[in-house]
Amino acid sequence: MKQLTSQDILTYLPHRAPMVMVDSATIDGEQVTAQLTITDTNWFANKGQLMEAGLIEHMAQSVAVCVKESHPQDAGHIGFLADVKDITINRLPNVGECIETQIALKAVVGEILLVIATTKVKQDIIASGELKIFLPQ
């Protein structure tokens, strides 16, 4: 198992504060789980909760970490969120909670990655959905 710190994450993402939406990540074989502790200074925090757009951005950045770790041949490429589909948000996370997003690769079609993202607080699934990432060669 490999742990990525916030400093490691900055080498994985083109984002910088205040738009970094992954604090740390755990890689265990093919399984990538990215974490974010919600703070009241988060760009997407409003009235004590992370807004829907923040959840989706966290999912997308979690995919970027997954790509760099699981597909090192694509690590130097910048990917673009191409589509968000079937997003279900059961509840918004509160300031102070840590969200964890697991990424599962569903398919690769040319330059498109299709992934399933599942976001939890502790053991409760709070959001899930499919994301398509365009990864130009």
Side-chain angles (χ1 to χ4, degrees), residues 71-88:
H71 303 88
Q73 70 277 12
D74 294 326
H77 296 95
I78 293 178
F80 301 94
L81 184 61
D83 189 25
V84 177
K85 181 178 175 186
D86 297 329
I87 295 290
T88 300

Side-chain angles (χ1 to χ4, degrees), residues 65-123:
V65 172
C66 180
V67 167
K68 173 128 184 191
E69 191 59 38
S70 302
H71 303 88
Q73 70 277 12
D74 294 326
H77 296 95
I78 293 178
F80 301 94
L81 184 61
D83 189 25
V84 177
K85 181 178 175 186
D86 297 329
I87 295 290
T88 300
I89 297 175
N90 299 319
R91 77 168 180 89
L92 298 175
N94 297 312
V95 166
E97 290 184 313
C98 179
I99 58 177
E100 293 190 343
T101 296
Q102 294 178 335
I103 301 299
L105 183 63
K106 185 174 178 181
V108 178
V109 180
E111 298 177 322
I112 301 290
L113 301 177
L114 178 59
V115 300
I116 305 296
T118 305
T119 302
K120 298 178 180 180
V121 170
K122 298 182 182 170
Q123 296 301 316

Side-chain angles (χ1 to χ4, degrees), residues 1-4 8-9 11-12 25-33 62-75:
M1 186 177 325
K2 181 178 179 181
Q3 293 288 129
L4 301 177
D8 296 325
I9 296 298
T11 67
Y12 281 54
T26 304
I27 294 92
D28 190 3
E30 293 287 316
Q31 182 69 40
V32 176
T33 304
S62 298
V63 172
V65 172
C66 180
V67 167
K68 173 128 184 191
E69 191 59 38
S70 302
H71 303 88
Q73 70 277 12
D74 294 326

Side-chain angles (χ1 to χ4, degrees), residues 42-46 49-56 89 92-93:
N42 185 292
W43 185 263
F44 294 102
N46 186 30
Q49 294 183 310
L50 186 69
M51 295 183 293
E52 293 87 345
L55 274 173
I56 295 169
I89 297 175
L92 298 175

